[in-house]
Coordinates of all heavy atoms in Angstrom, one line a residue:
M297 N 88.8 204.9 203.0 CA 87.8 204.1 202.5 C 88.4 202.9 201.7 O 89.5 203.0 201.2 CB 86.9 204.8 201.6 CG 85.4 204.5 201.6 SD 84.8 204.0 203.3 CE 84.5 205.7 204.1
A298 N 87.6 201.9 201.4 CA 88.2 200.8 200.6 C 87.0 200.0 199.9 O 85.9 200.3 200.2 CB 88.9 199.8 201.6
H299 N 87.4 199.0 199.1 CA 86.3 198.2 198.6 C 86.1 197.0 199.5 O 87.0 196.7 200.2 CB 86.8 197.7 197.2 CG 86.6 198.7 196.1 ND1 87.1 200.0 196.1 CD2 85.9 198.7 195.0 CE1 86.6 200.7 195.0 NE2 86.0 199.8 194.3
V300 N 84.9 196.5 199.4 CA 84.5 195.5 200.3 C 83.9 194.3 199.5 O 83.0 194.6 198.5 CB 83.4 196.0 201.2 CG1 82.9 194.9 202.2 CG2 84.0 197.1 202.1
I301 N 84.2 193.0 199.9 CA 83.5 191.9 199.4 C 82.4 191.5 200.2 O 82.5 191.3 201.4 CB 84.5 190.7 199.2 CG1 85.7 191.2 198.2 CG2 83.8 189.4 198.7 CD1 86.7 190.2 198.0
A302 N 81.2 191.2 199.6 CA 80.0 191.0 200.3 C 79.5 189.6 199.9 O 80.1 188.9 199.3 CB 78.9 192.1 200.0
A303 N 78.2 189.2 200.4 CA 77.6 188.0 200.5 C 77.6 187.2 199.1 O 77.8 186.0 199.1 CB 76.2 188.0 201.0
P304 N 77.5 187.8 197.9 CA 77.3 187.0 196.7 C 78.6 186.3 196.4 O 78.6 185.4 195.5 CB 77.0 188.1 195.7 CG 76.5 189.3 196.5 CD 77.2 189.3 197.8
C305 N 79.8 186.7 196.9 CA 81.1 186.0 196.5 C 80.9 184.5 196.6 O 80.5 183.9 197.5 CB 82.2 186.5 197.5 SG 83.7 185.6 197.2
V306 N 81.5 183.8 195.4 CA 81.4 182.4 195.3 C 82.8 181.9 195.5 O 83.0 180.7 195.0 CB 80.8 182.0 194.0 CG1 79.2 182.3 194.2 CG2 81.3 182.8 192.8
A307 N 83.8 182.8 195.7 CA 85.2 182.3 196.0 C 85.8 181.6 194.7 O 86.3 180.6 194.9 CB 85.3 181.3 197.3
D308 N 85.6 182.3 193.6 CA 86.1 181.8 192.4 C 87.6 182.4 192.1 O 88.2 182.0 191.1 CB 85.2 182.1 191.2 CG 85.2 183.4 190.7 OD1 85.7 184.4 191.4 OD2 84.8 183.7 189.6
Y309 N 87.9 183.2 192.9 CA 89.4 183.8 192.9 C 89.6 184.7 191.7 O 90.9 185.0 191.5 CB 90.3 182.7 193.0 CG 90.3 181.9 194.3 CD1 89.6 180.9 194.7 CD2 90.8 182.6 195.6 CE1 89.4 180.3 195.7 CE2 90.7 182.0 196.7 CZ 89.9 180.8 196.8 OH 89.7 180.2 198.1
S310 N 88.7 185.2 190.9 CA 88.9 186.0 189.8 C 89.6 187.3 190.2 O 90.3 187.8 189.4 CB 87.6 186.2 189.0 OG 87.0 185.0 188.6
C311 N 89.3 187.9 191.3 CA 89.6 189.2 191.7 C 91.1 189.1 192.2 O 91.8 190.0 192.3 CB 88.8 189.7 192.7 SG 88.5 188.6 194.1
V312 N 91.6 187.9 192.7 CA 92.9 187.9 193.5 C 94.0 188.5 192.7 O 94.7 189.2 193.1 CB 93.1 186.6 194.1 CG1 94.5 186.3 194.7 CG2 92.0 186.1 195.0
E313 N 94.1 187.9 191.5 CA 95.4 188.0 190.8 C 95.3 189.5 190.1 O 96.5 190.0 189.8 CB 95.6 187.0 189.6 CG 95.8 185.8 190.1 CD 97.1 185.6 191.0 OE1 98.1 186.3 190.7 OE2 97.0 184.9 191.9
I314 N 94.1 190.1 189.9 CA 94.1 191.4 189.3 C 94.4 192.6 190.2 O 94.8 193.6 189.8 CB 92.7 191.6 188.7 CG1 92.8 192.7 187.6 CG2 91.8 192.0 189.7 CD1 92.3 192.2 186.2
C315 N 94.5 192.3 191.6 CA 94.6 193.4 192.4 C 96.0 193.8 192.5 O 97.0 192.9 192.8 CB 94.2 192.9 193.9 SG 94.6 194.1 195.1
P316 N 96.3 195.1 192.3 CA 97.7 195.5 192.0 C 98.5 195.6 193.4 O 99.7 195.8 193.4 CB 97.6 196.9 191.5 CG 96.2 197.4 191.9 CD 95.4 196.1 192.0
V317 N 97.7 195.5 194.6 CA 98.5 195.6 195.8 C 98.2 194.3 196.6 O 98.6 194.3 197.9 CB 97.9 196.9 196.6 CG1 98.4 198.2 195.9 CG2 96.5 196.8 196.8
N318 N 97.8 193.3 196.1 CA 97.6 192.0 196.7 C 97.0 192.1 198.0 O 97.3 191.4 199.0 CB 99.0 191.3 196.8 CG 99.7 191.0 195.6 OD1 99.1 190.7 194.6 ND2 101.0 191.1 195.7
C319 N 95.8 192.8 198.1 CA 95.1 192.9 199.3 C 93.8 192.0 199.4 O 93.1 192.2 200.4 CB 94.8 194.2 199.5 SG 93.5 195.1 198.5
I320 N 93.7 191.0 198.5 CA 92.5 190.2 198.6 C 93.1 188.7 199.0 O 93.9 188.3 198.4 CB 91.7 190.1 197.2 CG1 91.4 191.5 196.7 CG2 90.6 189.2 197.4 CD1 90.8 191.6 195.4
S321 N 92.3 188.3 200.1 CA 92.7 187.0 200.7 C 91.4 186.2 200.8 O 90.3 186.7 201.0 CB 93.3 187.2 202.1 OG 94.6 187.9 201.9
P322 N 91.7 184.8 201.0 CA 93.0 184.1 201.0 C 93.7 184.0 199.7 O 92.8 183.9 198.7 CB 92.7 182.9 201.5 CG 91.3 182.6 201.4 CD 90.6 183.9 201.4
R323 N 94.9 183.9 199.6 CA 95.7 183.7 198.4 C 96.1 182.2 198.4 O 96.0 181.5 199.4 CB 96.9 184.7 198.3 CG 96.5 186.1 198.2 CD 97.6 186.9 198.1 NE 98.5 186.8 197.0 CZ 98.2 187.3 195.8 NH1 97.2 188.0 195.5 NH2 99.2 187.0 194.8
A324 N 96.7 181.7 197.3 CA 97.0 180.3 197.1 C 97.8 179.8 198.2 O 97.8 178.5 198.7 CB 97.6 180.1 195.8
A325 N 98.8 180.6 198.8 CA 99.7 180.1 199.9 C 99.1 180.2 201.3 O 99.7 179.7 202.2 CB 100.9 181.0 199.7
D326 N 98.0 180.7 201.3 CA 97.3 180.8 202.7 C 96.6 179.5 203.0 O 96.2 178.8 202.3 CB 96.4 181.9 202.7 CG 96.8 183.3 202.4 OD1 98.2 183.5 202.7 OD2 96.1 184.2 202.1
R327 N 96.8 179.3 204.4 CA 96.2 178.1 205.0 C 94.8 177.9 204.7 O 94.3 176.7 204.5 CB 96.5 178.0 206.4 CG 96.9 176.7 207.0 CD 97.0 176.8 208.5 NE 97.6 177.9 209.0 CZ 97.5 178.3 210.2 NH1 96.8 177.7 211.1 NH2 98.1 179.6 210.7
D328 N 94.0 178.9 204.8 CA 92.5 178.8 204.6 C 92.1 178.9 203.1 O 91.0 179.1 202.8 CB 91.9 180.0 205.3 CG 92.4 181.3 205.2 OD1 93.4 181.4 204.6 OD2 91.8 182.2 205.7
F329 N 93.0 178.7 202.1 CA 92.8 178.9 200.7 C 91.7 177.9 200.2 O 90.8 178.2 199.6 CB 94.0 178.8 199.9 CG 93.9 179.0 198.5 CD1 93.7 180.2 197.8 CD2 93.8 177.9 197.6 CE1 93.5 180.3 196.5 CE2 93.6 178.0 196.2 CZ 93.4 179.3 195.6
D330 N 91.9 176.7 200.6 CA 91.1 175.5 200.0 C 89.7 175.5 200.5 O 88.8 175.1 199.7 CB 91.7 174.2 200.4 CG 92.9 173.9 199.6 OD1 93.0 174.5 198.5 OD2 93.8 173.1 200.0
D331 N 89.3 175.9 201.8 CA 87.9 175.8 202.2 C 87.4 177.3 202.4 O 86.4 177.5 203.1 CB 87.9 175.0 203.3 CG 88.8 175.3 204.5 OD1 89.4 176.5 204.3 OD2 89.1 174.5 205.2
A332 N 87.8 178.3 201.7 CA 87.3 179.7 201.9 C 85.9 179.7 201.2 O 85.7 179.2 200.1 CB 88.2 180.7 201.2
E333 N 85.0 180.2 202.0 CA 83.7 180.4 201.5 C 83.5 181.7 200.6 O 82.5 181.9 199.9 CB 82.5 180.2 202.6 CG 82.5 178.9 203.2 CD 81.5 178.7 204.3 OE1 80.9 179.8 204.7 OE2 81.3 177.6 204.8
Q334 N 84.2 182.7 201.2 CA 84.2 184.0 200.4 C 85.6 184.6 200.5 O 86.5 184.0 201.4 CB 83.2 184.9 201.0 CG 83.6 185.7 202.3 CD 82.8 187.0 202.3 OE1 81.7 187.0 202.8 NE2 83.5 188.0 202.0
L335 N 86.0 185.6 199.9 CA 87.1 186.2 199.9 C 86.9 187.5 200.7 O 85.8 188.0 200.8 CB 87.8 186.5 198.6 CG 88.7 185.3 198.1 CD1 87.8 184.1 197.8 CD2 89.5 185.6 196.8
Y336 N 88.1 188.2 201.1 CA 88.1 189.4 201.8 C 89.1 190.4 201.4 O 90.1 190.1 200.8 CB 88.3 189.1 203.3 CG 87.4 188.0 203.8 CD1 87.9 186.7 203.8 CD2 86.3 188.4 204.5 CE1 87.2 185.7 204.3 CE2 85.4 187.3 205.0 CZ 85.9 186.0 204.9 OH 85.1 185.0 205.3
I337 N 88.7 191.7 201.4 CA 89.7 192.8 201.1 C 90.3 193.5 202.3 O 89.5 193.9 203.2 CB 89.0 193.9 200.2 CG1 88.7 193.2 198.8 CG2 89.8 195.1 199.9 CD1 87.7 194.1 197.9
N338 N 91.6 193.7 202.3 CA 92.2 194.3 203.5 C 92.0 195.9 203.4 O 92.6 196.4 202.4 CB 93.8 193.8 203.5 CG 94.4 194.5 204.9 OD1 93.9 195.5 205.3 ND2 95.4 193.9 205.2
P339 N 91.2 196.5 204.1 CA 90.8 197.8 204.0 C 92.0 198.8 204.1 O 92.1 200.0 203.8 CB 89.8 198.1 205.0 CG 89.9 197.1 206.1 CD 90.5 195.8 205.4
D340 N 93.1 198.3 204.9 CA 94.2 199.2 205.3 C 95.3 199.2 204.0 O 96.2 199.8 203.9 CB 94.9 198.6 206.4 CG 94.0 198.9 207.7 OD1 93.4 199.8 207.6 OD2 94.2 198.0 208.6
V341 N 95.0 198.3 203.1 CA 96.0 198.2 201.9 C 95.4 198.5 200.6 O 95.9 199.2 199.7 CB 96.5 196.8 201.8 CG1 97.4 196.6 200.7 CG2 97.1 196.3 203.1
C342 N 93.9 198.3 200.5 CA 93.2 198.6 199.3 C 93.4 200.1 198.8 O 93.3 201.0 199.7 CB 91.8 198.3 199.5 SG 90.7 198.8 198.1
I343 N 93.8 200.3 197.6 CA 93.9 201.6 197.0 C 92.7 202.2 196.2 O 92.8 203.1 195.5 CB 95.2 201.8 196.2 CG1 95.2 200.7 195.0 CG2 96.5 201.5 197.1 CD1 96.3 201.0 194.1
D344 N 91.6 201.4 196.3 CA 90.3 201.7 195.7 C 90.5 201.9 194.2 O 89.9 202.8 193.6 CB 89.8 203.2 196.2 CG 88.9 202.9 197.4 OD1 88.3 201.7 197.5 OD2 88.8 203.7 198.3
C345 N 91.3 201.1 193.6 CA 91.5 201.2 192.0 C 90.2 200.7 191.2 O 90.0 201.2 190.1 CB 92.7 200.5 191.6 SG 92.5 198.7 191.7
G346 N 89.5 199.8 191.9 CA 88.3 199.4 191.1 C 88.5 198.2 190.3 O 87.5 197.8 189.7
A347 N 89.7 197.7 190.1 CA 90.0 196.7 189.2 C 89.2 195.4 189.4 O 88.8 194.6 188.6 CB 91.5 196.4 189.1
C348 N 89.1 195.2 190.7 CA 88.3 193.9 191.2 C 87.0 193.9 190.8 O 86.3 192.8 190.4 CB 88.7 193.6 192.5 SG 88.1 195.0 193.7
V349 N 86.3 195.0 190.8 CA 84.9 195.1 190.6 C 84.6 194.6 189.1 O 83.6 193.9 188.9 CB 84.5 196.6 190.8 CG1 83.0 196.8 190.3 CG2 84.7 197.1 192.1
E350 N 85.5 194.9 188.2 CA 85.3 194.7 186.7 C 85.2 193.1 186.5 O 84.6 192.6 185.6 CB 86.4 195.2 185.9 CG 86.6 196.8 186.2 CD 85.6 197.6 185.6 OE1 85.1 197.2 184.5 OE2 85.1 198.6 186.2
V351 N 86.1 192.4 187.3 CA 86.3 191.0 187.0 C 85.3 190.0 187.9 O 85.2 188.8 187.6 CB 87.8 190.6 187.2 CG1 88.7 191.3 186.3 CG2 88.1 190.6 188.7
C352 N 84.6 190.6 188.8 CA 83.7 189.8 189.7 C 82.7 189.4 188.8 O 81.7 190.0 188.5 CB 83.4 190.5 191.0 SG 82.4 189.5 192.0
P353 N 82.3 188.0 188.7 CA 81.2 187.5 187.9 C 79.9 187.6 188.7 O 78.7 187.5 188.0 CB 81.5 186.1 187.6 CG 82.4 185.8 188.8 CD 83.0 186.8 189.2
V354 N 79.8 187.9 189.9 CA 78.5 187.9 190.7 C 78.4 189.3 191.4 O 77.4 189.4 192.2 CB 78.5 186.8 191.7 CG1 78.3 185.4 191.1 CG2 79.7 186.9 192.6
L355 N 79.0 190.3 191.0 CA 78.9 191.7 191.5 C 78.9 191.6 193.0 O 78.0 192.2 193.6 CB 77.6 192.3 191.0 CG 77.4 192.3 189.4 CD1 76.0 192.8 189.1 CD2 78.5 193.1 188.7
A356 N 79.9 191.1 193.6 CA 80.0 190.9 195.1 C 80.9 192.0 195.6 O 80.9 192.2 196.8 CB 80.6 189.6 195.4
I357 N 81.5 192.9 194.8 CA 82.4 193.8 195.3 C 81.9 195.3 195.1 O 81.5 195.7 194.0 CB 83.9 193.8 194.6 CG1 84.4 192.4 194.6 CG2 84.8 194.6 195.3 CD1 85.6 192.1 193.9
F358 N 82.0 196.0 196.3 CA 81.4 197.4 196.3 C 82.3 198.3 197.0 O 83.2 198.0 197.9 CB 80.2 197.3 197.2 CG 79.1 196.5 196.7 CD1 79.1 195.2 197.1 CD2 78.1 197.0 195.9 CE1 78.0 194.3 196.6 CE2 77.1 196.2 195.4 CZ 77.1 194.8 195.8
E359 N 82.3 199.5 196.6 CA 83.0 200.7 197.3 C 82.3 200.6 198.7 O 81.1 200.5 198.8 CB 82.8 201.9 196.8 CG 83.6 202.2 195.6 CD 83.6 203.5 194.9 OE1 83.9 204.5 195.8 OE2 83.1 203.7 193.9
A360 N 83.0 200.7 199.9 CA 82.4 200.7 201.1 C 81.2 201.7 201.5 O 80.2 201.4 201.9 CB 83.5 201.0 202.2
D361 N 81.4 202.8 200.8 CA 80.3 203.8 200.7 C 79.0 203.4 200.0 O 78.0 203.9 200.3 CB 80.7 205.2 200.2 CG 81.6 206.0 201.3 OD1 81.6 205.5 202.4 OD2 82.2 207.0 200.8
C362 N 79.2 202.5 199.1 CA 78.1 202.1 198.3 C 77.6 200.6 198.4 O 76.8 200.1 197.9 CB 78.6 202.1 196.8 SG 79.1 203.7 196.3
L363 N 78.0 200.1 199.7 CA 77.4 198.8 200.1 C 75.9 198.9 200.3 O 75.3 199.8 200.9 CB 78.0 198.3 201.4 CG 79.3 197.5 201.3 CD1 79.9 197.6 202.7 CD2 79.2 196.3 200.9
P364 N 75.2 197.9 199.7 CA 73.7 197.9 200.0 C 73.4 197.7 201.5 O 74.2 197.0 202.2 CB 73.3 196.6 199.1 CG 74.3 196.5 198.2 CD 75.6 196.9 198.8
E365 N 72.3 198.3 202.0 CA 72.1 198.2 203.3 C 72.1 196.8 204.0 O 72.8 196.7 205.0 CB 70.6 198.8 203.6 CG 70.2 198.9 204.8 CD 70.8 200.0 205.7 OE1 71.1 201.1 205.2 OE2 71.1 199.8 206.9
K366 N 71.6 195.8 203.3 CA 71.7 194.6 203.8 C 73.0 194.0 204.0 O 73.4 193.0 204.8 CB 70.8 193.6 203.2 CG 71.2 193.3 201.7 CD 70.2 192.5 200.9 CE 70.6 192.4 199.4 NZ 69.6 191.6 198.6
W367 N 74.0 194.5 203.3 CA 75.4 194.0 203.4 C 76.4 195.0 203.9 O 77.6 194.9 203.9 CB 75.9 193.6 202.0 CG 75.1 192.5 201.4 CD1 74.5 191.4 202.0 CD2 74.8 192.3 200.0 NE1 73.9 190.5 201.2 CE2 74.1 191.1 199.9 CE3 75.1 192.9 198.9 CZ2 73.7 190.5 198.7 CZ3 74.7 192.4 197.6 CH2 74.0 191.2 197.6
R368 N 75.9 195.9 204.6 CA 76.7 197.0 205.3 C 77.7 196.4 206.2 O 78.9 196.9 206.3 CB 75.9 198.2 205.8 CG 76.7 199.5 205.9 CD 75.8 200.7 205.8 NE 75.3 200.7 204.4 CZ 74.3 201.6 204.1 NH1 73.7 202.4 205.0 NH2 73.9 201.8 202.9
H369 N 77.3 195.5 207.0 CA 78.2 194.9 207.9 C 79.5 194.2 207.4 O 80.4 193.8 208.0 CB 77.4 194.0 208.9 CG 76.8 192.7 208.1 ND1 75.8 192.8 207.3 CD2 77.1 191.5 208.2 CE1 75.5 191.7 206.8 NE2 76.3 190.8 207.3
Y370 N 79.4 194.0 206.1 CA 80.5 193.3 205.4 C 81.9 194.2 205.5 O 82.9 193.6 205.3 CB 80.2 192.8 204.0 CG 79.6 191.4 204.0 CD1 78.1 191.4 204.1 CD2 80.2 190.3 203.9 CE1 77.5 190.1 204.2 CE2 79.6 189.1 203.9 CZ 78.3 189.0 204.1 OH 77.7 187.8 204.2
A371 N 81.7 195.3 205.6 CA 82.8 196.2 205.8 C 83.7 195.8 206.9 O 85.0 195.6 207.0 CB 82.6 197.8 206.0
Q372 N 82.9 195.5 208.1 CA 83.6 195.1 209.4 C 84.0 193.6 209.1 O 85.0 193.1 209.6 CB 82.5 195.2 210.4 CG 83.2 194.9 211.9 CD 84.3 195.7 212.2 OE1 84.4 196.9 211.6 NE2 85.3 195.3 213.0
V373 N 83.2 192.7 208.4 CA 83.5 191.4 208.2 C 84.9 191.2 207.5 O 85.8 190.5 207.8 CB 82.3 190.7 207.5 CG1 82.9 189.3 206.9 CG2 81.2 190.5 208.3
N374 N 85.0 192.1 206.6 CA 86.3 192.0 205.7 C 87.4 192.6 206.6 O 88.5 192.0 206.6 CB 86.2 193.0 204.4 CG 85.4 192.4 203.3 OD1 86.1 192.2 202.2 ND2 84.3 191.9 203.4
R375 N 87.3 193.6 207.4 CA 88.2 194.1 208.2 C 88.7 193.0 209.2 O 89.9 192.8 209.5 CB 87.8 195.4 209.0 CG 88.8 196.0 210.0 CD 88.4 197.3 210.5 NE 88.4 198.4 209.5 CZ 89.6 199.0 209.1 NH1 90.7 198.6 209.5 NH2 89.6 199.9 208.2
E376 N 87.7 192.4 209.8 CA 88.1 191.4 210.9 C 88.8 190.2 210.4 O 89.5 189.5 211.2 CB 86.7 191.0 211.7 CG 86.2 192.0 212.4 CD 84.8 191.6 213.1 OE1 84.3 190.5 212.8 OE2 84.3 192.4 213.9
H377 N 88.7 189.9 209.1 CA 89.4 188.9 208.6 C 90.9 189.0 208.6 O 91.7 188.1 208.8 CB 89.1 188.6 207.0 CG 89.9 187.4 206.5 ND1 89.5 186.2 206.6 CD2 90.9 187.6 205.7 CE1 90.3 185.4 205.9 NE2 91.2 186.2 205.3
F378 N 91.4 190.3 208.7 CA 92.8 190.6 208.7 C 93.3 190.9 210.1 O 94.5 191.0 210.3 CB 93.0 191.6 207.9 CG 92.8 191.4 206.3 CD1 91.6 191.7 205.7 CD2 93.7 190.7 205.5 CE1 91.4 191.3 204.4 CE2 93.4 190.3 204.3 CZ 92.3 190.6 203.7
L379 N 92.4 191.0 211.1 CA 92.8 191.3 212.5 C 93.8 190.1 213.0 O 93.5 189.0 212.9 CB 91.7 191.4 213.4 CG 90.8 192.6 213.1 CD1 89.6 192.7 214.1 CD2 91.6 193.9 213.3
G380 N 95.0 190.6 213.5 CA 95.9 189.7 214.0 C 96.7 188.9 213.1 O 97.6 188.1 213.4
K381 N 96.5 189.2 211.8 CA 97.3 188.6 210.6 C 98.6 189.3 210.4 O 99.5 188.9 209.6 CB 96.4 188.3 209.4 CG 95.3 187.3 209.7 CD 94.9 186.7 208.4 CE 93.9 185.5 208.7 NZ 93.5 184.8 207.4
G382 N 98.7 190.6 210.8 CA 99.9 191.3 210.5 C 99.9 191.7 209.0 O 101.1 191.9 208.6
E383 N 98.9 191.9 208.3 CA 98.8 192.3 206.9 C 98.6 193.5 206.8 O 97.8 194.2 207.5 CB 97.9 191.3 206.2 CG 98.4 189.9 206.0 CD 97.4 189.0 205.3 OE1 97.1 189.5 204.2 OE2 97.1 187.9 205.7
Ligands
SF4_438 S1 89.8 198.2 194.6 FE1 91.9 197.8 193.6 S2 93.2 197.7 195.3 FE2 91.2 197.5 196.2 S3 91.0 195.3 196.3 FE3 90.1 196.0 194.4 S4 91.7 195.5 192.9 FE4 92.7 195.6 195.0
SF4_439 S1 85.7 187.7 191.8 FE1 84.0 188.1 193.1 S2 83.0 186.0 193.5 FE2 85.2 185.8 192.7 S3 86.4 185.6 194.6 FE3 86.4 187.8 193.9 S4 84.6 188.7 195.0 FE4 84.4 186.5 195.1

């Protein structure tokens, strides 16, 4: 299981630096950093520490098991962001 970023994300990058395993993208060095509409959590790397939840100003981050029904598909949206990136 992992944490998931859902629709409310405003891409303010507050969560990126706090993540102890650097699993939130895009990061400053990534090509899609400048025009990202939301950020994503790599579910294969996230260790479920919960640190990102505390810093998100819009409550966009949930444990996968606790995603509101209307945003449940964001678990797959987050996962798909990393497909083929070798991360
Ligand atoms: S729960 Fe922890 S490891 Fe997972 S994305 Fe948030 S800060 Fe990173
Ligand atoms: S802290 Fe919240 S709003 Fe900001 S980038 Fe992370 S998930 Fe998106």
Side-chain angles (χ1 to χ4, degrees):
M297 214 43 77
H299 278 59
V300 173
I301 298 177
C305 177
V306 292
D308 74 341
Y309 298 96
S310 299
C311 55
V312 172
E313 295 303 326
I314 201 118
C315 179
V317 293
N318 295 332
C319 69
I320 304 177
S321 288
R323 298 176 63 79
D326 295 338
R327 215 181 326 156
D328 48 353
F329 180 80
D330 284 336
D331 47 22
E333 292 180 358
Q334 79 152 83
L335 272 65
Y336 308 90
I337 291 172
N338 187 334
D340 295 329
V341 182
C342 174
I343 57 172
D344 272 338
C345 72
C348 54
V349 175
E350 311 285 324
V351 300
C352 180
V354 293
L355 304 178
I357 307 176
F358 300 85
E359 290 182 57
D361 279 350
C362 300
L363 276 163
E365 179 71 35
K366 61 184 175 183
W367 295 328
R368 199 148 292 168
H369 62 290
Y370 274 86
Q372 189 61 22
V373 170
N374 278 234
R375 178 173 291 281
E376 285 177 356
H377 177 77
F378 296 94
L379 292 180
K381 293 198 173 186
E383 291 183 42

